[in-house]
């Protein structure tokens, strides 16, 4: 079993991973009595409710992008994408109708005698043809629409869910593709990559046009142009950022989006725990940071990962270099430390935007935020990977709670990620490895595998 990206885990696996990470962090005395599963004694929201719900109350005239919870931004993006797909589908259908009508008329005109109306032609003179264009019914049309994009299989009907399972995996009929956790149904498939459109487009624009721009994120921008871009995103328009757009305007837009998030990219419930890692030494520091990242909701985790990858790329061009023709390529001067200083207060926020003490931060907190974000940027590639040992812990945990899903998850895992790990010499050489590779082993066999029988400790 090899390390895998965090976003490749199924929704059920990620929920189990959160429980394990929380347990290990509580052992380190970093999160106290916070619970992922139940409401606290005073009726306050549990950490799972806070991390997954995150201010689900809607404003009466809510904007589409700025100043709203991240999960709502993602929902608006999905709705906008579905609307665009519906418009494209409608246009495609209209073209098919037009082509069918044109072909029908051409055939009738070709087979009709010149100078005579169609009414004078004997009925038996033509082979039987439809008297109107043949249109696709809604059922057959839906089957022609191509690939399906969903955030979770729980969004689909059971039949469609099983069809999607069949496309991705083998033997979809063997088990229900969802598992309940309380009242929430969790999918056995990975959910889609959840990064807001505005974040991804701003990052791509700067990666394409601004990596050599000196002082990116520090040089001033046009307030009028930034406001116009902000309004376009808030109206739900499909905004494209091309080479004519100022890099500094796009950089300012990205900072504003992160600054105005009411739920902050790293939830405030984890603010103190993240800052406590600043005083730790490696490797304990990175291990703890990774466990804290595992607690983030998928949309926060994926967005943070995309942002850190982008900031790492910007920092890679901080120093000047020489081109193949011997010409100097200026660096952007934005080192990891400089980027952490700028983005730290926007990613790690103690108070909500607009609250009384939002601008007040002591020196110790400020220094800790910069140091923590530096570590996140420098080690983002490994921090968002799930080690083989942690994957085993997840499987052990699920073996205790949902043993019938183990076969399904292992089949997918070993089908998509070939294992280079050799089995323990004390195990039978012909059993587990061959069975996993052939994807034909049942859950009863896995119940005898030693690592699944070990207690995960929760």
């Amino acid at each position: 079993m090899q390390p895998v990206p965090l976003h490749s885990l199924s929704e059920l696996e990620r929920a189990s991973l959160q429980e394990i990470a929380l347990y290990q962090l509580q052992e380190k005395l970093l999160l106290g009595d916070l619970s992922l599963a139940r409401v606290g004694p005073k009726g306050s929201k549990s950490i799972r409710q806070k991390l997954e719900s995150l201010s689900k109350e809607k404003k009466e005239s809510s904007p589409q992008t700025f100043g709203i919870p991240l999960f709502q931004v993602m929902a608006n993006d999905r709705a906008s994408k579905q609307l665009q797909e519906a418009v494209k589908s409608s246009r495609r259908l209209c073209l098919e109708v037009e082509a069918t009508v044109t072909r029908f008329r051409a055939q009738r005109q070709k087979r009709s005698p010149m100078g005579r109306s169609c009414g004078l032609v004997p009925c038996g003179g033509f082979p039987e043809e439809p008297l109107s264009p043949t249109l696709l019914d809604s059922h057959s049309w839906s089957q022609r629409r191509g690939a399906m994009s969903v955030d979770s299989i729980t969004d689909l009907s059971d039949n469609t869910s099983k069809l999607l399972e069949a496309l991705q995996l083998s033997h979809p009929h063997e088990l229900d593709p969802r598992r309940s956790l309380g009242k929430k149904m969790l999918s056995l498939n990975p959910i889609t990559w959840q990064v807001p459109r505005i974040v991804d487009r701003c990052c791509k624009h700067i990666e394409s046009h601004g990596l050599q721009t000196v002082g990116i994120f520090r040089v001033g921008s046009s307030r009028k142009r930034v406001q116009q871009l902000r309004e376009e995103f808030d109206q739900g328009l499909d905004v494209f950022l091309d080479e004519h757009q100022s890099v500094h305007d796009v950089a300012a837009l990205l900072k504003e989006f992160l600054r105005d998030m009411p739920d902050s990219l790293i939830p405030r419930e984890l603010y103190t725990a993240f800052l406590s890692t600043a005083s730790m030494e490696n490797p304990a520091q990175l291990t703890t940071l990774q466990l804290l990242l595992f607690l983030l909701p998928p949309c926060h985790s994926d967005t943070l990962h995309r942002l850190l990858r982008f900031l790492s790329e910007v920092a890679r061009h901080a120093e000047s270099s020489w081109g193949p023709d011997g010409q100097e390529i200026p660096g952007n001067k934005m080192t990891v430390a400089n980027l952490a200083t700028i983005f730290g207060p926007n990613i790690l926020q103690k108070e909500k935007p607009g609250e009384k003490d939002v601008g007040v931060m002591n020196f110790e907190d400020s220094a800790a935020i910069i140091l923590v974000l530096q570590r996140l940027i420098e080690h983002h590639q490994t921090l968002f990977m799930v080690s083989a040992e942690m994957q085993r812990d997840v499987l052990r945990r699920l073996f205790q709670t949902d043993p019938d899903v183990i076969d399904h998850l292992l089949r997918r895992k070993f089908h998509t990620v070939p294992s280079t790990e050799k089995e323990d010499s004390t195990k039978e050489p012909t059993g587990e490895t061959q069975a996993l590779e052939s994807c034909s082993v049942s859950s009863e066999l896995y119940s005898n595998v030693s690592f699944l029988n070990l207690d995960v400790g929760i």
Side-chain angles (χ1 to χ4, degrees):
M1 192 177 294
Q2 296 176 342
V4 297
L6 174 60
H7 63 81
S8 70
L9 298 184
S10 69
E11 192 176 15
L12 183 63
E13 288 174 295
R14 290 184 77 156
S16 179
L17 179 63
Q18 283 186 330
E19 294 174 351
I20 295 171
L22 177 63
Y23 174 78
Q24 294 184 13
L25 288 167
Q26 286 175 333
E27 282 194 325
K28 297 176 184 289
L29 304 178
L30 288 177
L31 291 182
D33 297 327
L34 290 177
S35 171
L36 284 170
R38 57 182 182 272
V39 178
K42 294 184 179 180
S44 59
K45 289 185 178 180
S46 69
I47 189 171
R48 180 182 293 282
Q49 290 173 312
K50 290 177 179 178
L51 296 180
E52 291 185 349
S53 300
L54 292 171
S55 306
K56 286 193 175 180
E57 59 274 6
K58 294 184 179 179
K59 301 177 183 178
E60 293 183 359
S61 58
S62 177
Q64 296 291 300
T65 303
F66 285 83
I68 61 176
L70 189 58
F71 82 92
Q72 189 63 49
V73 178
M74 293 302 308
N76 293 339
D77 285 352
R78 286 194 297 271
S80 176
K81 183 177 181 180
Q82 291 171 357
L83 178 60
Q84 293 172 16
E85 291 177 349
V87 171
K88 291 179 181 178
S89 174
S90 177
R91 290 174 179 172
R92 190 163 57 244
L93 179 59
C94 289
L95 291 175
E96 288 200 6
V97 170
E98 182 180 357
T100 304
V101 171
T102 302
R103 184 169 57 253
F104 172 78
R105 288 177 175 174
Q107 291 174 351
R108 294 300 297 266
Q109 184 177 7
K110 180 179 180 181
R111 298 184 183 188
S112 297
M114 294 295 294
R116 298 175 59 184
S117 65
C118 293
L120 299 177
V121 180
C123 294
F126 302 102
E128 292 186 3
E129 294 180 359
L131 296 180
S132 61
T134 303
L135 304 181
L136 297 171
D137 57 29
S138 60
H139 177 70
S140 60
W141 176 253
S142 65
Q143 291 179 340
R144 295 187 54 181
R145 292 187 60 186
M148 188 177 303
S149 175
V150 292
D151 282 318
S152 173
I153 288 189
T154 59
D155 295 338
L156 302 174
S157 65
D158 288 339
N159 290 336
T160 310
S161 172
K162 291 180 179 179
L163 173 61
L164 188 57
E165 291 264 347
L167 294 175
Q168 295 181 348
L169 306 168
S170 59
H171 313 299
H173 58 279
E174 292 183 359
L175 46 85
D176 185 355
R178 297 174 293 180
R179 279 295 177 272
S180 62
L181 183 66
K183 295 182 179 180
K184 182 180 176 67
M185 298 299 291
L186 300 181
S187 169
L188 296 184
N189 282 333
I191 57 179
T192 58
W193 182 250
Q194 297 191 33
V195 178
R197 179 178 51 180
I198 183 173
V199 172
D200 193 50
R201 291 189 177 178
C202 287
C203 291
K204 286 181 177 178
H205 180 271
I206 297 174
E207 287 170 344
S208 300
H209 308 290
L211 291 180
Q212 275 79 40
T213 302
V214 178
I216 183 71
F217 295 114
R218 281 190 167 174
V219 175
S221 59
S222 168
R223 183 59 197 165
K224 181 179 180 180
R225 291 195 299 265
V226 173
Q227 183 62 30
Q228 181 180 355
L229 287 172
R230 178 174 177 139
E231 291 175 357
E232 290 175 355
F233 273 105
D234 264 344
Q235 292 169 8
L237 302 179
D238 194 14
V239 183
F240 289 96
L241 304 174
D242 55 25
E243 66 275 9
H244 303 294
Q245 197 73 50
S246 168
V247 171
H248 298 296
D249 293 345
V250 176
L253 187 72
L254 178 60
K255 288 193 296 183
E256 282 193 16
F257 173 77
L258 297 173
R259 182 197 65 197
D260 293 350
M261 286 177 60
D263 43 2
S264 75
L265 203 50
I266 293 179
R268 293 175 182 83
E269 292 77 15
L270 301 177
Y271 175 86
T272 302
F274 267 92
L275 260 61
S276 67
T277 64
S279 58
M280 296 181 180
E281 299 292 336
N282 284 331
Q285 184 186 52
L286 296 181
T287 300
T288 305
L289 283 174
Q290 186 177 55
L291 292 174
L292 289 169
L293 291 174
F294 288 163
L295 294 180
L296 301 184
C299 59
H300 287 245
S301 175
D302 292 348
T303 303
L304 179 60
H305 189 189
R306 177 67 178 99
L307 182 64
L308 294 174
R309 191 175 71 213
F310 161 70
L311 295 179
S312 176
E313 183 67 12
V314 173
R316 198 169 65 86
H317 292 77
E319 302 297 331
S320 298
S321 59
W322 298 93
D325 56 353
Q327 185 178 4
E328 183 180 9
I329 301 175
N332 56 43
K333 310 299 182 186
M334 297 305 297
T335 62
V336 171
N338 290 337
L339 291 170
T341 302
I342 293 173
F343 280 88
N346 293 328
I347 295 176
L348 275 162
Q349 300 178 8
K350 189 175 183 179
E351 307 291 343
K352 290 184 178 181
E355 289 189 352
K356 182 177 180 181
D357 298 329
V358 68
V360 179
M361 182 183 300
N362 58 46
F363 176 78
E364 290 77 9
D365 277 8
S366 179
I369 287 174
I370 294 172
L371 180 60
V372 168
L373 192 54
Q374 279 186 254
R375 295 294 177 268
L376 292 177
I377 295 173
E378 292 168 347
H379 301 280
H380 73 278
Q381 291 181 328
T382 57
L383 289 175
F384 287 88
M385 297 293 290
V386 184
S387 67
E389 182 57 36
M390 187 63 77
Q391 291 178 67
R392 293 191 188 97
D393 286 343
V394 169
L395 291 174
R396 293 185 194 113
R397 175 63 176 165
L398 290 177
F399 186 73
Q400 298 171 3
T401 59
D402 297 270
D404 56 330
V405 307
I406 297 298
D407 183 49
H408 179 91
L409 294 175
L410 283 175
R411 182 185 300 115
R412 176 172 61 81
K413 188 180 298 293
F414 282 86
H415 177 71
T416 57
V417 183
S419 177
T420 58
E421 216 175 28
K422 294 184 178 179
E423 297 296 329
D424 196 322
S425 58
T426 60
K427 298 179 183 178
E428 292 294 332
T430 60
E432 183 182 352
T433 305
Q434 295 177 357
L436 291 176
E437 291 175 351
S438 63
C439 299
S440 62
V441 182
S442 64
S443 296
E444 286 76 15
L445 179 58
Y446 293 118
S447 65
N448 296 320
V449 179
S450 59
F451 81 84
L452 289 178
N453 282 320
L454 295 178
D455 188 357
V456 75
I458 299 180

